[in-house]
Amino acid sequence: MGKKDISYWEQRQELTYLAGEKKVNEYYKGLQESFEQAKKEIQSVINNFHIRYAKENKVSYTEAQKLLDKAEIGELKDFIDKVNKHMGEYNLELNNISIKARITRYQALEKQIDAILQQLYAIEYQYKGEETLKEIYEDSYYRTWFSIDTYKGFHQEFAQINPRTIEELIKYPWNGANFSTRIWKQKDHLLQALAENITTMLIQGRDPQTLARDFAKKFNTKEYEAYRLLHTESSFIIEQGTLAAYKEDGVEKYQILATLDNRTSDICRSEDGKIYDVDKATVGVNYPPYHPFCRTTTIPYYEDDDISDDTRVAKDSATGKSYEVPADMKYEEWYDKYVKDNPEALLAEKKWKNRRTDQKQYERYKGVLGKNLGVKSLDEFQELKYTNNDKWNELKAEYHIISRGKYLQEQFAYIYNGEKLFIPKNTVFETVKVIAGGNSGVQLRVKEALSKKYGGNPEDWKKKVGKIESAKYIFDMHWYELNGKQYEMKLKNRSDKK
């Protein structure tokens, strides 16, 4: 075949990947809106439940366990029928939602929430998601075939795609479970998590508005899981469309093509440049995707091609700019030459590998230190952490003092024997002890009042005592605390230091 142009294939496979990614992102944008709508509907039915059955602004667990009357059962059936009617427009129906003659108020609420989630996951997530994956498969298949024909310099008639082929691929458990199974596992987990929150609300007699933050966190988690699953499944479908085109057009071998940058996983680094038989392709073993969010792809391999003058694209780990390297350079060779002895590139790689743990750490530090953290983004946080050792050690020490409640967060003014005095902000407590709430074994009686006044989960509130020593005095302090932040600081006693 003569000259082989890897850059030709690299560009076309990138276009195929980007086209699939665009379709997924467009679909996911709509899915996010559907998640938000479902969250609002669930909060609405919970609010209605509270308004209907509340006594003295509380719904006790006992009240929630009372049976529905005949009229209430009729209303529940109307609600379920309305959801079923909408699902019927997609030839779908609710699963495992039967209305019995004896059903409690709480069970009815659970069934309403389950129906809303089933509608979300069945229509917006699975049905529309599968339609998107079918479009991605067709696009990948025809793009690859067209690229092969263009490369060969002649065209042969395309073989039409059998719709059942795509459906079977979507059902195929290539990563331990198929698309549908993973979706419904996510739904069941979300339903269980929401039910636990609602049960806690009833037992503690809390207002349903206190659930808003926890609900938002749980829905955000499931949205990310959906994003992760969709991108992983789309990578699988794209590569299966490519593989089908290889087989139809007589390509016998393929070559693994990983991305030459610091974000590439260890398995993809080791697979880069390897050549395999098309008829022996096995996903996750010698054919991509190898893992979630996998960017590795493949290109046709022709043994009689010459790649001596060809190039492939790499990305500078520090600047993000692209440049060309010899086509036969494998990932490990590229790493040894351009990254291994480059401090800036190694730092960029370290930041990328640690991004998830660093993000969580950044959120913790921001929550405790606030503006005193001195950085406003994850990038700035990582830069400080990995390039300014002295400042980072100071920040860690300050974080640990404050997070353990051993630090007076605000200046404390007090009057003693008619004299106006104060204890400076940032004064360190010599000792700190939890006397109510938390793991103290003592119930904090005012936790509900604190939650309504300042926010937060009542169970997260604590009462603490601490001792501050100056050159002359010993101060016994009492305060309430939520997630490391001090509230209602009081001076219980000041004694002379002996």
Side-chain angles (χ1 to χ4, degrees):
M1 192 149 312
K3 274 289 186 189
K4 179 183 180 183
D5 193 347
I6 284 187
S7 59
Y8 167 88
W9 288 111
E10 192 173 36
Q11 291 168 10
R12 275 148 186 80
Q13 292 302 78
E14 182 181 14
L15 289 174
T16 300
Y17 177 83
L18 291 175
E21 185 177 46
K22 183 181 179 182
K23 286 182 182 292
V24 167
N25 288 339
E26 288 173 350
Y27 159 69
Y28 179 69
K29 185 178 180 181
L31 182 61
Q32 281 183 301
E33 294 173 357
S34 298
F35 263 92
E36 184 62 28
Q37 180 61 31
K39 183 178 69 175
K40 290 178 181 178
E41 290 177 10
I42 289 172
Q43 288 174 332
S44 177
V45 297
I46 294 172
N47 288 338
N48 291 340
F49 176 89
H50 186 266
I51 291 169
R52 187 166 196 169
Y53 302 119
K55 292 183 178 180
E56 297 180 355
N57 204 35
K58 292 181 181 179
V59 179
S60 69
Y61 190 74
T62 302
E63 284 292 322
Q65 294 303 318
K66 289 184 177 179
L67 295 173
L68 295 185
D69 60 31
K70 188 174 181 180
E72 290 170 330
I73 290 176
E75 291 173 10
L76 177 60
K77 286 182 177 178
D78 289 342
F79 181 92
I80 300 301
D81 288 344
K82 184 178 179 181
V83 176
N84 253 327
K85 183 178 180 181
H86 179 54
M87 292 184 66
E89 296 172 8
Y90 296 87
N91 293 320
L92 301 169
E93 61 181 3
L94 292 170
N95 294 321
N96 302 318
I97 298 190
S98 58
I99 310 299
K100 301 178 182 178
R102 293 174 60 83
I103 182 171
T104 67
R105 295 167 175 176
Y106 179 73
Q107 288 171 332
L109 177 61
E110 274 194 318
K111 288 184 182 297
Q112 285 179 293
I113 294 172
D114 191 13
I116 293 170
L117 290 179
Q118 283 198 44
Q119 181 175 248
L120 168 67
Y121 277 76
I123 298 174
E124 305 300 332
Y125 196 168
Q126 183 172 354
Y127 180 86
K128 294 184 179 179
E130 288 181 353
E131 290 301 305
T132 300
L133 292 175
K134 290 175 184 177
E135 293 175 11
I136 289 171
Y137 180 90
E138 291 179 2
D139 185 74
S140 173
Y141 176 82
Y142 290 122
R143 279 176 180 267
T144 302
W145 197 324
F146 179 78
S147 295
I148 293 172
D149 283 1
T150 303
Y151 183 69
K152 289 178 176 178
F154 60 86
H155 171 69
Q156 63 185 53
E157 186 177 352
F158 293 157
Q160 295 300 308
I161 296 173
N162 185 338
R164 288 188 61 184
T165 300
I166 311 178
E167 292 173 3
E168 288 171 2
L169 283 172
I170 292 172
K171 293 177 181 177
Y172 180 68
W174 66 273
N175 197 23
N178 64 25
F179 184 58
S180 175
T181 301
R182 291 181 186 277
I183 284 176
W184 290 103
K185 185 177 180 180
Q186 290 178 13
K187 173 261 171 187
D188 290 341
H189 183 267
L190 179 56
L191 178 62
Q192 180 183 352
L194 297 182
E196 289 172 357
N197 275 40
I198 293 168
T199 301
T200 301
M201 177 194 77
L202 295 172
I203 291 173
Q204 296 176 356
R206 290 161 53 192
D207 187 282
Q209 295 303 317
T210 61
L211 298 178
R213 188 176 68 174
D214 287 337
F215 272 25
K217 286 183 179 179
K218 287 177 172 58
F219 268 85
N220 286 341
T221 298
K222 292 305 169 187
E223 283 182 30
Y224 173 76
E225 288 179 5
Y227 180 80
R228 185 173 186 258
L229 177 59
L230 287 165
H231 272 269
T232 303
E233 289 293 326
S234 68
S235 295
F236 169 70
I237 291 297
I238 287 171
E239 294 304 330
Q240 286 300 304
T242 298
L243 185 61
Y246 288 166
K247 292 176 179 178
E248 290 290 346
D249 215 1
V251 176
E252 296 180 355
K253 294 179 182 291
Y254 63 89
Q255 185 172 10
I256 302 295
L257 193 68
T259 304
L260 298 182
D261 66 14
N262 60 14
R263 296 170 52 190
T264 300
S265 66
D266 290 341
I267 187 172
C268 292
R269 295 180 184 196
S270 64
E271 284 294 298
D272 184 51
K274 290 185 178 179
I275 299 162
Y276 296 104
D277 293 333
V278 167
D279 60 0
K280 295 180 181 177
T282 304
V283 176
V285 177
N286 62 6
Y287 195 80
Y290 290 98
H291 54 80
F293 288 125
C294 187
R295 298 173 299 151
T296 294
T297 186
T298 66
I299 61 175
Y301 177 79
Y302 300 104
E303 293 182 344
D304 57 347
D305 277 344
D306 177 14
I307 62 170
S308 58
D309 296 329
D310 196 16
T311 60
R312 62 183 297 195
V313 175
K315 185 175 289 187
D316 188 293
S317 301
T319 66
K321 294 181 178 180
S322 298
Y323 59 94
E324 293 183 347
V325 298
D328 60 353
M329 178 177 279
K330 307 300 183 287
Y331 189 97
E332 292 173 353
E333 296 170 324
W334 169 80
Y335 188 89
D336 288 343
K337 183 173 181 178
Y338 293 96
V339 179
K340 189 177 180 180
D341 298 318
N342 183 339
E344 291 183 355
L346 289 173
L347 176 60
E349 181 181 28
K350 188 175 185 178
K351 287 179 178 179
W352 172 257
K353 285 187 173 181
N354 296 342
R355 68 195 183 284
R356 291 194 177 93
T357 54
D358 284 347
Q359 178 69 48
K360 293 178 181 178
Q361 187 178 41
Y362 169 59
E363 295 297 336
R364 290 198 305 272
Y365 273 54
K366 186 169 63 172
V368 172
L369 299 177
K371 293 181 180 179
N372 290 338
L373 180 58
V375 296
K376 298 180 180 179
S377 67
L378 175 61
D379 288 340
E380 291 181 6
F381 180 77
Q382 287 188 309
E383 189 67 20
L384 184 154
K385 180 178 180 178
Y386 296 123
T387 65
N388 192 336
N389 196 51
D390 291 340
K391 178 64 177 176
W392 174 242
N393 286 332
E394 290 176 11
L395 206 61
K396 282 197 297 183
E398 184 179 356
Y399 168 79
H400 288 303
I401 289 173
I402 295 177
S403 63
R404 292 169 185 168
K406 294 186 176 182
Y407 202 90
L408 189 62
Q409 295 172 5
E410 300 292 340
Q411 178 176 293
F412 179 77
Y414 69 101
I415 299 175
Y416 196 83
N417 291 336
E419 185 179 4
K420 293 183 177 180
L421 303 166
F422 69 90
I423 303 174
K425 178 181 178 179
N426 300 336
T427 301
V428 175
F429 287 99
E430 296 298 323
T431 60
V432 173
K433 182 180 178 182
V434 179
I435 61 171
N439 297 320
S440 66
V442 179
Q443 184 178 1
L444 180 59
R445 296 178 181 177
V446 295
K447 61 185 180 181
E448 295 291 343
L450 290 168
S451 178
K452 288 182 179 179
K453 187 175 181 179
Y454 300 110
N457 188 330
E459 298 306 310
D460 293 335
W461 280 92
K462 301 172 186 175
K463 185 173 184 180
K464 290 187 174 183
V465 297
K467 185 178 291 185
I468 291 175
E469 294 187 15
S470 69
K472 295 183 179 181
Y473 307 111
I474 296 175
F475 302 87
D476 291 317
M477 312 296 294
H478 287 213
W479 69 94
Y480 299 109
E481 192 168 299
L482 174 68
N483 299 328
K485 183 172 175 58
Q486 298 162 355
Y487 296 84
E488 300 185 12
M489 184 69 64
K490 294 178 182 178
L491 174 61
K492 288 295 184 180
N493 185 54
R494 191 189 85 170
S495 58
D496 293 334
K497 194 173 185 181
K498 296 178 181 179

